Amino acid sequence: MAESNRGGRLSLTVKLPLFIGSLLVVTVVVYSYVSYARVRRSALGLAGNRIGAVTDQLAALFKQSGSTLIRGTRQVADTDIVTRFLTNPTDRNRAAVTMLLRPNTTAGKQVASAQVFDARRRLIAVTGDSAALRTATAATSDLIAGLTAEDSGVVSRFLAVGDSVIYASASPSVSNGRVLGYLVMWRYLANPPARRQLSELIGTDSRFYIGNVGDNVWSDFSRPMDPPPVAVAGDTSILHYSRGGAEGGALIATARSIQGVPWIVLVEFPEARVLAPAAAFLRDSLLIGAAILALGLIVAWWASRQLTGPLVHLTRTAEELAGRGSSSRGGEPEGDEIARLTTVFESMVAHVRESQRELELRVKTRTNELQERNEELESFAYSISHDLRAPLRAMDGFSQALLEEYGDKLDSTGRQYAERVKAGARRMDLLIRDLLAYSKMTRGDIKVGPLELDRVVRGALDQVEGDARARGARVVVEDDMPRVQGHESTLTQVLMNLIANGIKFVPAGRTPEVRVRTEGRDGVVRLWVMDNGIGIPPEYHERIFRVFERLHRTDEYPGTGIGLAIVRKGVERMGGRVGLESEADRGTSFWIDLPLAVDQPPARAAVAP
Ligand code: ADP
């Protein structure tokens, strides 16, 4: 990780894993959170349904208890003891009633106190807990105010008295359809066995409360309790709150009004219990996420090393090449490898463009110079060659004159010398003539146009006819040759040289045979000049086209070694190509490729050989 933090700039080797790591973290966190939220919502929904059902059951149970309570009170109110006292409130009858209604009798189970009112709602007898009664007096008159002979009774709201909660049931005492009076029985809301049974019914984690509709008196069936921290309506909504304190923690709760009584029942369930599976799910998915993250980071680091290794190497090499690496400049290169590579690449491109421009300019200048030199050289060679011929002619002429006029005065050695001078002059003249021809071929304008091959070949044959006849050669020319693009005198010269060689390079005793024919393909005409001569070894196929390159001594096969150089130059200047195939002692076939004449109908191009 040496490259990880050069000058505070992060390398790709670190950037890539960081990027992939961040991506994984975001993915894991988002995925876990979204899944957790869903699991949580569905767990809460399920718990809400369950707790709702439990609350419904409790409400039904309490409704039933309410009716039972009223029925019980009414039964007591209708007993003979009570009706007798109400009809005839003597001390004896009062004592009987007080006896009947004293707390903890069967009839007055959990009864805190009982009150008997006459038909005009005046209190005529009291039993039980006077402290509870003091608080209850105002509530009592409200309770019995609306009772008629048709009513079986009512149940009061809860009242908090000290550390108890009390409630009353009131019934009219009726005889022959007439209200004799009213019986009100106050009870403590404290029933440990019932509480235990209900707790078992709703589950140990749940708690239930009972309270008044619309005020803050609540009890858990044993003592007054703090009201829930939110307004509780007896509807089906699911409540979420926390009670704070030691038992704090979020709760979900539902409340139901109880029919027939002014009470409301509330069931609470700790949210932590509901959400335990969701929390476990979140913990598990975060753990799995962390494992994936660790694995992802390792893989990303490894992959990034594999990927960026060559890139880092390339960047360094490129920086070194461009002479802008950290070592060469002392300063740190900017950015990561890609940014550095881009910078280096741009500067390299600029360099290359600049160099290219310079190079093009230099090539142009050099080419112009070279062309000028060449032209100078050629004209110099031409004039030299030209000028050389005059003294040569003098040498030839005077050696001839020497032989003719002074021949008899010379001995045989002197004559031989004079012959040699003459022969040398002639050979030199020949060389110069050929050189001039070559020089001419390289200079001057060559305008290419359509040519009748038949005519050009015949013209060349006329030129070599003397030679052919002297050697007894047979020259066969194919009929109906196509038209090609060329330059007439150049092509004539080229064909002359090739046919002359075909006649010349034949072993003594063999009749020279030369064949000229064409073949055409793809708009190109290949013109063959084939002989039955000595052949040319493959290693010389290229060399023989150079000036003065000869494979034989002049006394064997005379010549200057310029003929094929002229052939190649001429063919090239017409835009064609030249080459050969050869077999030792069987003959050589030179070919020339020239474009088919532009006005040539294509059908004629494919002339059979
Ligand atoms: P020259 O004919 O004056 O010697 P050329 O340039 O025409 O010069 O040919 C160069 C050499 O190529 C010749 O000296 C000869 O050795 C060889 N050569 C050319 N044409 C033929 C041929 N048709 N058959 C065999 N050898 C050839």
Side-chain angles (χ1 to χ4, degrees), residues 16-38:
L16 211 62
L18 266 187
F19 174 69
I20 291 173
S22 322
L23 222 66
L24 277 176
V25 167
V26 170
T27 309
V28 165
V29 167
V30 168
Y31 170 79
S32 301
Y33 180 75
V34 169
S35 315
Y36 168 71
R38 286 217 170 152

Side-chain angles (χ1 to χ4, degrees), residues 501 504-505 531 534 536 544 549-552 559-561 563-564:
N501 279 355
K504 181 164 63 173
F505 293 103
D531 64 46
I534 53 173
I536 304 169
I544 51 171
E549 285 289 347
R550 306 201 73 239
L551 306 182
H552 307 280
T560 56
L564 285 183

